[in-house]
Amino acid sequence: MLRRVRASVRRMPGAVRLISLAALLLTAAAGNVAVRSGPVVEWVLLLVVAVVGAVVAGAPAHLWPLPAIWLVATLLVTTTGVPVDGVTLAVSLVAGGVALVAAIAVDVQPTLRRRRRGVRP
């Protein structure tokens, strides 16, 4: 079922861009709510909808933008002057950093595999 949805969305390039942008914005909103110590259900729901939107739009080709925008949103909250819980901020930054490193490793793996085989792009 997910393949059919992805195929139909990819036939409309404008829809892919719109869904990808919405996924990034929802991820930023989730990061913002999480650091401001919002309800866990709220930011987890935002993050789940963002990831589903990214998967439908074809984000598995590049995974790094979602954790990167999470980190950016988390850091931007600290500059707004809104009081944030230090522990929540630290957990959010560490989780975002680990997710970013893992996403970059997954994104780079096919390129490294091709180079080991001797195929140059």
Side-chain angles (χ1 to χ4, degrees), residues 9-81:
V9 167
R10 286 187 177 172
R11 279 187 233 125
M12 300 175 287
V16 171
R17 282 191 293 267
L18 183 64
I19 293 170
S20 296
L21 183 60
L24 288 173
L25 291 173
L26 286 170
T27 303
N32 191 339
V33 170
V35 172
R36 290 180 183 222
S37 299
V40 173
V41 173
E42 186 176 322
W43 69 263
V44 168
L45 182 63
L46 286 170
L47 192 59
V48 166
V49 170
V51 169
V52 168
V55 167
V56 167
H62 299 291
L63 299 174
W64 67 266
L66 291 177
I69 199 70
W70 174 277
L71 285 172
V72 168
T74 301
L75 291 173
L76 283 176
V77 168
T78 63
T79 64
T80 60

